[in-house]
């Protein structure tokens, strides 16, 4: 254990991005075993080598930058999905309108009859039935 720690000293180690690369490699291996697409297997090996290179890399600054990029992309995707989910789950109690001027999405409660909506972004007023 001590030797491993000595070996890993100054090296980047396992991070989310390496984990993701390994998962992709595993999935590619599975797909290639079902479909006999051998190039996927080769690609999986290359990915494993790449993940290994990142784990043992001594250029930690560069690796941290890569991981940061990966995490921000993932968080961006998660944020988008969250927004879609909120839009779907909110349709029972709320209605969504687009501002005619700046295209901002505006959420208004349902069942209020004809109401005047003011865009929070550009202050444009428009009337809609909810
Ligand atoms: Zn607007």
């Amino acid at each position: 254990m001590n030797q491993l720690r000595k070996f890993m000293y100054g090296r980047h180690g396992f991070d989310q991005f390496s984990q993701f690369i390994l998962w992709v490699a595993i999935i590619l291996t599975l797909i290639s075993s079902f479909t006999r697409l051998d190039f996927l297997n080769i690609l999986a090996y290359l990915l494993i080598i790449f993940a290994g290179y990142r784990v043992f890399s001594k250029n930690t600054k560069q690796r941290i930058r890569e991981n940061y990029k990966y995490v921000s992309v993932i968080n961006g995707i998660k944020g988008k999905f969250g927004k879609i989910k909120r839009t779907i789950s909110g349709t029972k109690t709320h209605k969504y309108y687009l501002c005619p001027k700046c295209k901002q999405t505006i959420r208004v409660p349902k069942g209020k009859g004809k109401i005047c909506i003011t865009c929070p972004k550009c202050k444009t007023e428009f009337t809609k039935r909810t």
Side-chain angles (χ1 to χ4, degrees):
M1 204 57 208
N2 218 346
Q3 247 172 355
L4 180 74
R5 205 174 295 160
K6 224 181 250 174
F7 175 72
M8 285 308 289
Y9 181 78
R11 293 175 199 267
H12 181 61
F14 209 60
D15 61 12
Q16 291 105 313
F17 187 40
S18 296
Q19 204 180 343
F20 172 75
I21 294 166
L22 283 183
W23 271 114
V24 173
I26 290 166
I27 291 163
L28 286 180
T29 311
L30 285 176
I31 294 171
S32 82
S33 68
F34 286 127
T35 57
R36 292 182 197 162
L37 293 169
D38 287 336
F39 73 95
L40 288 179
N41 227 345
I42 295 162
L43 198 65
Y45 277 121
L46 289 175
L47 283 174
I48 290 167
I49 291 166
F50 179 55
Y53 162 76
R54 291 194 74 256
V55 170
F56 300 120
S57 170
K58 287 191 169 177
N59 187 357
T60 49
K61 258 189 194 166
Q62 184 61 33
R63 300 290 88 80
I64 287 168
R65 213 173 297 153
E66 286 165 5
N67 193 53
Y68 179 78
K69 246 185 219 166
Y70 162 74
V71 170
S72 51
V73 166
I74 289 296
N75 282 344
I77 292 168
K78 273 185 191 164
K80 255 181 209 154
F81 270 109
K83 202 174 177 187
I84 292 165
K85 219 173 150 188
R86 274 198 301 280
T87 309
I88 293 165
S89 65
T91 46
K92 269 183 191 161
T93 51
H94 292 84
K95 259 195 161 175
Y96 289 84
Y97 289 110
L98 279 184
C99 168
K101 202 175 162 193
C102 70
K103 305 297 173 207
Q104 163 85 22
T105 315
I106 303 157
R107 195 177 76 149
V108 291
K110 245 182 183 177
K112 298 277 179 199
K114 218 173 180 187
I115 58 163
C116 182
I117 302 162
T118 309
C119 172
K121 210 171 159 190
C122 66
K123 309 294 174 205
T124 304
E125 288 187 4
F126 55 101
T127 320
K128 286 279 181 203
R129 181 171 291 280
T130 63

